[in-house]
Each structure stands twice: as C-alpha cells, then as structure tokens.
Amino acid sequence: MATLTQSQSPPQATMSAHPFTCNTCQVAFRGSDLQRTHMQSDWHRYNLKRRVASLPPLTSEIFAEKVLANKASAAATAARARFEKKCEACDKVYFSEGAFVNHLGSAKHRGLAARLTGAGTETESMTGSTFSLGDPLESASESASTIVGDREEDEEVDEVTASLGDSQLNGANGHANQKPAASTDKTDEGDEEFEYKAELTQCLFCNYMSPSLDLNVSHMQKQHGFFVPEKDYLVDLPGLINYLSESIHVLRTCLFCAKGMHSTSGLQTHMRDRGHCMIAYSTEDEQMEVGEFYDFRATYSDDESEDEEEAAEGGVSLGVKRVAKTAVQNSDGED
C-alpha cells in the first residue's frame, strides 16, 4: 500500500502545479492566460479537426514540421506560377515548366526546329555558292548576264508553243462546233424514246417481290397502309403503279408530301416512318396528276354524256330543232 501511495503522489503534484489543461491536445498549463492563448492557436484548431475525424492529436513538434512543409510546397507552387518561357521555333509561350519540357520533347516541335535549322543552312549555302569572295566582279556580272539571256530565250520558246497550242485549239473548236447539232438531235431523240417501265410485282416501299400485281397491291395495303383512292373508277392499275414507281425510283420524290431525297432507300424509309405510303389526292391538282388512270364517265348524267359526245364530234346542241331547207333549181337556174 505504501508503494501505491508513492506512485500516485507525482500526478497529484503535477495537477496541483498545472491546474489548467487542454483535453484535445493533452497538455496542461500553469495559468488561465496560457490556456486561453493555446485555445486560439492553429495547433489547437488543427487537433480539434482531427478529434472530429476520430484521429489522435499531434504534438507541437510534429505540427511545426507540417507547417514548414506546407510553406515550402506553397513557395514551390508560387515559383512555378511565375514561370514564363517562349519557344521561338513554334512561337508559343508556356507558363508551366512541365508543359514546356513536354513541348520540347514533342515531334511537332522537333520538326519545326529541324525546318528552321535546315532553312538557315540552305540560305547560307546558296549565298556562299552564288558569289564567292574570291571571284572578281567581272565574272559575277558575266554569269548574271548569261542567266538573264537564258530566261529571255525560255520566254520566247514559251510564247511560240503557246501560240501553236491556241491555233490547234481554235481548229479543234471549229470542228467541234460543226458537230453539236447532230449530237443534240440524238440526245433529243433519246429523251423522247425513253420510257420508264417498272417491275409491277415489286413493292414500292420495301422492294418485296410478289407473284402477281394484285398480290403486290394487297401486300402494300396490309404491310404499309397503301390506299388507292376511287378504286371503283380505276381503269389502268398497271399504269398507275408504273407512274408511282417512276416517282420513287427516278424522281425520288415522296408520293404524299412531294419531298425530294438523295437516294431511293432513304425515300422509302422516309415514307415508311412518316406514314406517307399513300397517294396524295386531296387537292384538284393532285387529282389531275393521276386522272389519266381513271374513268369517271359512269358518274355523269345522260344529258352531260350527250353534250360531251356532241362536243367531241364537233356538233352544237340547241334547245329547238332547226328545219332543214332544200332548194330546187330549174333549168334556167332559178329557185
């Protein structure tokens, strides 16, 4: 028991000598002023943050070392921030030493630097080879005069060849001007003879081949919602399908919105996606476009049909019948 009382006596003495403590930094102070000063220090604040993060406190020596290391890194960062260097070959300015070093090792910089050095050596060699210091002025003037004479001769030769070329071109143009009439006639005949013939069993919207024309129309109606307006009065179904196929494959225009496309496949995709797999038949102009494939004479009345027949034959329809007058002449020529 005596030993225990002796071992416990020194802490009591220290507590009595340093009654003011800081549990965060685990230090004790003799006076309250020292304690207040410590509470306002950066060391105490740093240990408070570590205590919130469940970390042990740092001693004052370790904290001082950390402060010095941070100051050194800040000074190095400031020194790098003040860095400024220009690359003469690439005409660029760099404010970071690392970026400048990487630029010097790049292939683009080395290529430009090699070009600059090569251009400098070429200009020096050309100036040295043209006029050497040991040549007299007379030899230099003679060489210059020979160069000028050679240039004049080359210019004369170029003029002669140019004049010959112009004469040949004019002659060729004269012969060519005599031929276009026949060629244009042939092209006009070819345009007039051209007639588009579609594959009537091929789908207009997905290029599917059906066994017959009727099955092809049925396929387009079921798969693509194709609709033929006024089908009861349609008299030329093959002609209508041929006309629609020409609009898609040759003119590359949409059947419903008349939008032009660059390719047939793109046009077919447009019509399938937009639901334009149908014939435009809402306006009078659109009805006239496909009117040649229909026959609406069955819808006309009898009077209208008679009037149309007489107009077609060149007769005139009147409300009252005219009596035909006949004249008989005698031998003397009198009525």
Side-chain angles (χ1 to χ4, degrees), residues 27-208:
V27 291
F29 305 95
R30 293 181 180 179
S32 61
D33 295 335
L34 295 175
Q35 186 186 27
R36 293 191 192 95
T37 306
H38 168 75
M39 295 296 180
Q40 297 175 0
S41 64
D42 295 334
W43 175 35
H44 178 73
R45 294 192 188 97
Y46 187 74
N47 280 333
L48 281 176
K49 294 178 181 178
R50 290 177 63 86
R51 185 176 181 179
V52 171
S54 301
L55 297 174
L58 297 180
T59 61
S60 60
E61 292 80 7
I62 297 175
F63 179 73
E65 291 177 359
K66 282 182 148 310
V67 170
L68 292 176
N70 288 333
K71 287 182 179 180
S73 62
T77 304
R80 287 194 298 269
R82 289 193 298 268
F83 180 85
E84 182 178 356
K85 209 158 190 179
K86 182 178 181 181
C87 176
E88 300 295 340
C90 303
D91 194 17
K92 291 183 178 180
V93 181
Y94 293 90
F95 299 95
S96 174
E97 185 177 0
F100 182 70
V101 172
N102 292 334
H103 170 71
L104 293 179
S106 63
K108 184 177 180 181
H109 168 76
R110 286 181 294 187
L112 291 175
R115 288 180 185 177
L116 287 177
T117 55
T121 53
E122 287 179 1
T123 53
E124 291 177 358
S125 61
M126 288 177 64
T127 54
S129 62
T130 304
F131 299 106
S132 62
L133 294 175
D135 293 337
L137 294 175
E138 294 179 358
S139 61
S141 62
E142 289 177 359
S143 62
S145 62
T146 53
I147 291 172
V148 172
D150 294 338
R151 288 180 180 176
E152 291 178 354
E153 292 178 358
D154 293 339
E155 290 177 357
E156 291 178 358
V157 172
D158 293 338
E159 291 178 358
V160 173
T161 53
S163 61
L164 291 174
D166 292 337
S167 62
Q168 293 176 356
L169 288 174
N170 292 330
N173 290 331
H175 292 293
N177 290 331
Q178 296 176 358
K179 296 180 180 179
S183 62
T184 53
D185 295 340
K186 291 181 180 180
T187 54
D188 294 339
E189 292 177 358
D191 293 340
E192 292 177 357
E193 293 175 358
F194 174 76
E195 184 179 357
Y196 178 79
K197 292 184 179 180
E199 189 67 35
L200 300 180
T201 58
Q202 182 179 4
C203 178
L204 298 173
F205 313 108
C206 67
N207 298 329
Y208 174 76

